[in-house]
Amino acid sequence: MALVPCQVLRAAILLSYCSILCNYKAIDMPAHQTYGGSWKFLTFIDLVIQAVFFGICVLTDLSSLLTKGNDSQEQERQLKKLIALRDWVMAVLAFPVGVFVVTMFWSIYIYDRELVYPKLLDNFIPAWLNHGMHTTVLPFVLIEMRTTHHQYPSRSCGLAAVCTFAVGYILWVCWIHHVTGVWVYPLLEHLSQGVKIIFFAAVTVIINIFYLVGEVLNNYIWDTQK
């Protein structure tokens, strides 16, 4: 795909995430007023991650255009740092967290929506916004992977970073329950203490698997193994 269409596509995706975030924050939901606000939901955190990631992509594209034909070694070094940051965010956060949110949300939703997205929320969140938060994330990140080759970090460093994020969010969820006495997700209310530990461990394993899937998919698309 040509450079300019890719730039336009990334800019459009960035604008769509900004629109989704603005519309979501404008919703007057009781959950937004409780401890942790929107930041207790992985969906919102993922939206911020995706918006930041595509913001970095757009900034990288602009920097690439501005430095094209420029012999400044300093600008070239800065561009390489920006590209490295873009690739790291894609590998460790944007892809695994984005795919995890989409697959886990719709899997639980199909089984019993009340466990993850109670019907009451339909009164606050329109269908298009729900899909913007839980559906379009996947095609957007796949489009980015298909249009741009991303350099993955070493597997050990990548998995360590993903585990750090997963454990950090799990501890955040547990802390919110400790403070408020209420679990962020209704699903957790139905699990015993032992099952919760198994569930959290499984969640960590799954998000690490998605990191590996992203690495393999990136290599397959761009044939880096050869």
Side-chain angles (χ1 to χ4, degrees), residues 203-216:
V203 163
T204 304
V205 170
I206 290 171
I207 198 169
N208 275 274
I209 290 174
F210 284 140
Y211 170 84
L212 296 175
V213 169
E215 182 184 48
V216 171

PDB file of all heavy atoms in Angstrom, residues 203-216:
ATOM      1  N   VAL A 203      -6.325 -15.376  32.410  1.00  0.00           N
ATOM      2  CA  VAL A 203      -6.334 -14.110  31.682  1.00  0.00           C
ATOM      3  C   VAL A 203      -4.913 -13.689  31.309  1.00  0.00           C
ATOM      4  O   VAL A 203      -4.646 -13.254  30.181  1.00  0.00           O
ATOM      5  CB  VAL A 203      -7.017 -13.011  32.525  1.00  0.00           C
ATOM      6  CG1 VAL A 203      -6.684 -11.624  31.991  1.00  0.00           C
ATOM      7  CG2 VAL A 203      -8.530 -13.221  32.528  1.00  0.00           C
ATOM      8  N   THR A 204      -3.990 -13.830  32.260  1.00  0.00           N
ATOM      9  CA  THR A 204      -2.591 -13.477  32.000  1.00  0.00           C
ATOM     10  C   THR A 204      -1.994 -14.353  30.902  1.00  0.00           C
ATOM     11  O   THR A 204      -1.276 -13.870  30.019  1.00  0.00           O
ATOM     12  CB  THR A 204      -1.761 -13.612  33.285  1.00  0.00           C
ATOM     13  OG1 THR A 204      -2.347 -12.802  34.316  1.00  0.00           O
ATOM     14  CG2 THR A 204      -0.327 -13.162  33.053  1.00  0.00           C
ATOM     15  N   VAL A 205      -2.304 -15.645  30.961  1.00  0.00           N
ATOM     16  CA  VAL A 205      -1.803 -16.576  29.936  1.00  0.00           C
ATOM     17  C   VAL A 205      -2.374 -16.224  28.574  1.00  0.00           C
ATOM     18  O   VAL A 205      -1.654 -16.199  27.558  1.00  0.00           O
ATOM     19  CB  VAL A 205      -2.159 -18.028  30.311  1.00  0.00           C
ATOM     20  CG1 VAL A 205      -1.856 -18.969  29.141  1.00  0.00           C
ATOM     21  CG2 VAL A 205      -1.399 -18.467  31.544  1.00  0.00           C
ATOM     22  N   ILE A 206      -3.663 -15.925  28.511  1.00  0.00           N
ATOM     23  CA  ILE A 206      -4.324 -15.630  27.236  1.00  0.00           C
ATOM     24  C   ILE A 206      -3.733 -14.385  26.579  1.00  0.00           C
ATOM     25  O   ILE A 206      -3.460 -14.377  25.374  1.00  0.00           O
ATOM     26  CB  ILE A 206      -5.847 -15.457  27.450  1.00  0.00           C
ATOM     27  CG1 ILE A 206      -6.485 -16.806  27.793  1.00  0.00           C
ATOM     28  CG2 ILE A 206      -6.509 -14.886  26.188  1.00  0.00           C
ATOM     29  CD1 ILE A 206      -7.931 -16.699  28.224  1.00  0.00           C
ATOM     30  N   ILE A 207      -3.524 -13.337  27.356  1.00  0.00           N
ATOM     31  CA  ILE A 207      -2.992 -12.105  26.773  1.00  0.00           C
ATOM     32  C   ILE A 207      -1.553 -12.313  26.294  1.00  0.00           C
ATOM     33  O   ILE A 207      -1.122 -11.719  25.298  1.00  0.00           O
ATOM     34  CB  ILE A 207      -3.097 -10.927  27.761  1.00  0.00           C
ATOM     35  CG1 ILE A 207      -2.972  -9.595  27.011  1.00  0.00           C
ATOM     36  CG2 ILE A 207      -2.061 -11.010  28.855  1.00  0.00           C
ATOM     37  CD1 ILE A 207      -3.331  -8.390  27.839  1.00  0.00           C
ATOM     38  N   ASN A 208      -0.814 -13.208  26.970  1.00  0.00           N
ATOM     39  CA  ASN A 208       0.525 -13.561  26.495  1.00  0.00           C
ATOM     40  C   ASN A 208       0.451 -14.364  25.200  1.00  0.00           C
ATOM     41  O   ASN A 208       1.298 -14.201  24.311  1.00  0.00           O
ATOM     42  CB  ASN A 208       1.280 -14.360  27.561  1.00  0.00           C
ATOM     43  CG  ASN A 208       1.964 -13.474  28.583  1.00  0.00           C
ATOM     44  OD1 ASN A 208       3.085 -13.029  28.379  1.00  0.00           O
ATOM     45  ND2 ASN A 208       1.271 -13.195  29.677  1.00  0.00           N
ATOM     46  N   ILE A 209      -0.544 -15.218  25.093  1.00  0.00           N
ATOM     47  CA  ILE A 209      -0.743 -15.967  23.849  1.00  0.00           C
ATOM     48  C   ILE A 209      -1.041 -15.013  22.699  1.00  0.00           C
ATOM     49  O   ILE A 209      -0.521 -15.186  21.583  1.00  0.00           O
ATOM     50  CB  ILE A 209      -1.885 -16.995  24.022  1.00  0.00           C
ATOM     51  CG1 ILE A 209      -1.448 -18.120  24.958  1.00  0.00           C
ATOM     52  CG2 ILE A 209      -2.304 -17.565  22.667  1.00  0.00           C
ATOM     53  CD1 ILE A 209      -2.538 -19.107  25.299  1.00  0.00           C
ATOM     54  N   PHE A 210      -1.846 -13.994  22.969  1.00  0.00           N
ATOM     55  CA  PHE A 210      -2.155 -13.020  21.916  1.00  0.00           C
ATOM     56  C   PHE A 210      -0.906 -12.240  21.497  1.00  0.00           C
ATOM     57  O   PHE A 210      -0.781 -11.847  20.339  1.00  0.00           O
ATOM     58  CB  PHE A 210      -3.257 -12.066  22.380  1.00  0.00           C
ATOM     59  CG  PHE A 210      -4.624 -12.675  22.369  1.00  0.00           C
ATOM     60  CD1 PHE A 210      -5.530 -12.417  23.400  1.00  0.00           C
ATOM     61  CD2 PHE A 210      -5.024 -13.505  21.346  1.00  0.00           C
ATOM     62  CE1 PHE A 210      -6.802 -12.976  23.389  1.00  0.00           C
ATOM     63  CE2 PHE A 210      -6.286 -14.084  21.333  1.00  0.00           C
ATOM     64  CZ  PHE A 210      -7.176 -13.817  22.353  1.00  0.00           C
ATOM     65  N   TYR A 211       0.004 -12.019  22.449  1.00  0.00           N
ATOM     66  CA  TYR A 211       1.269 -11.385  22.076  1.00  0.00           C
ATOM     67  C   TYR A 211       2.028 -12.270  21.092  1.00  0.00           C
ATOM     68  O   TYR A 211       2.535 -11.793  20.073  1.00  0.00           O
ATOM     69  CB  TYR A 211       2.133 -11.133  23.313  1.00  0.00           C
ATOM     70  CG  TYR A 211       3.542 -10.696  22.960  1.00  0.00           C
ATOM     71  CD1 TYR A 211       3.826  -9.368  22.687  1.00  0.00           C
ATOM     72  CD2 TYR A 211       4.577 -11.633  22.851  1.00  0.00           C
ATOM     73  CE1 TYR A 211       5.111  -8.964  22.336  1.00  0.00           C
ATOM     74  CE2 TYR A 211       5.855 -11.242  22.504  1.00  0.00           C
ATOM     75  CZ  TYR A 211       6.115  -9.916  22.249  1.00  0.00           C
ATOM     76  OH  TYR A 211       7.374  -9.526  21.881  1.00  0.00           O
ATOM     77  N   LEU A 212       2.085 -13.568  21.380  1.00  0.00           N
ATOM     78  CA  LEU A 212       2.779 -14.504  20.498  1.00  0.00           C
ATOM     79  C   LEU A 212       2.090 -14.607  19.145  1.00  0.00           C
ATOM     80  O   LEU A 212       2.752 -14.712  18.105  1.00  0.00           O
ATOM     81  CB  LEU A 212       2.862 -15.886  21.162  1.00  0.00           C
ATOM     82  CG  LEU A 212       3.682 -15.967  22.456  1.00  0.00           C
ATOM     83  CD1 LEU A 212       3.574 -17.355  23.078  1.00  0.00           C
ATOM     84  CD2 LEU A 212       5.145 -15.619  22.184  1.00  0.00           C
ATOM     85  N   VAL A 213       0.764 -14.579  19.157  1.00  0.00           N
ATOM     86  CA  VAL A 213       0.012 -14.599  17.896  1.00  0.00           C
ATOM     87  C   VAL A 213       0.372 -13.386  17.045  1.00  0.00           C
ATOM     88  O   VAL A 213       0.573 -13.492  15.830  1.00  0.00           O
ATOM     89  CB  VAL A 213      -1.503 -14.633  18.167  1.00  0.00           C
ATOM     90  CG1 VAL A 213      -2.295 -14.380  16.877  1.00  0.00           C
ATOM     91  CG2 VAL A 213      -1.917 -15.971  18.769  1.00  0.00           C
ATOM     92  N   GLY A 214       0.456 -12.225  17.690  1.00  0.00           N
ATOM     93  CA  GLY A 214       0.822 -11.012  16.969  1.00  0.00           C
ATOM     94  C   GLY A 214       2.212 -11.113  16.373  1.00  0.00           C
ATOM     95  O   GLY A 214       2.442 -10.709  15.220  1.00  0.00           O
ATOM     96  N   GLU A 215       3.152 -11.670  17.135  1.00  0.00           N
ATOM     97  CA  GLU A 215       4.524 -11.827  16.650  1.00  0.00           C
ATOM     98  C   GLU A 215       4.571 -12.759  15.447  1.00  0.00           C
ATOM     99  O   GLU A 215       5.200 -12.455  14.426  1.00  0.00           O
ATOM    100  CB  GLU A 215       5.412 -12.370  17.767  1.00  0.00           C
ATOM    101  CG  GLU A 215       6.870 -12.516  17.381  1.00  0.00           C
ATOM    102  CD  GLU A 215       7.697 -13.142  18.489  1.00  0.00           C
ATOM    103  OE1 GLU A 215       7.255 -14.176  19.037  1.00  0.00           O
ATOM    104  OE2 GLU A 215       8.768 -12.600  18.797  1.00  0.00           O
ATOM    105  N   VAL A 216       3.893 -13.896  15.554  1.00  0.00           N
ATOM    106  CA  VAL A 216       3.865 -14.871  14.462  1.00  0.00           C
ATOM    107  C   VAL A 216       3.174 -14.281  13.236  1.00  0.00           C
ATOM    108  O   VAL A 216       3.643 -14.452  12.100  1.00  0.00           O
ATOM    109  CB  VAL A 216       3.155 -16.170  14.911  1.00  0.00           C
ATOM    110  CG1 VAL A 216       2.938 -17.098  13.720  1.00  0.00           C
ATOM    111  CG2 VAL A 216       3.968 -16.868  15.993  1.00  0.00           C
TER     112      VAL A 216
END
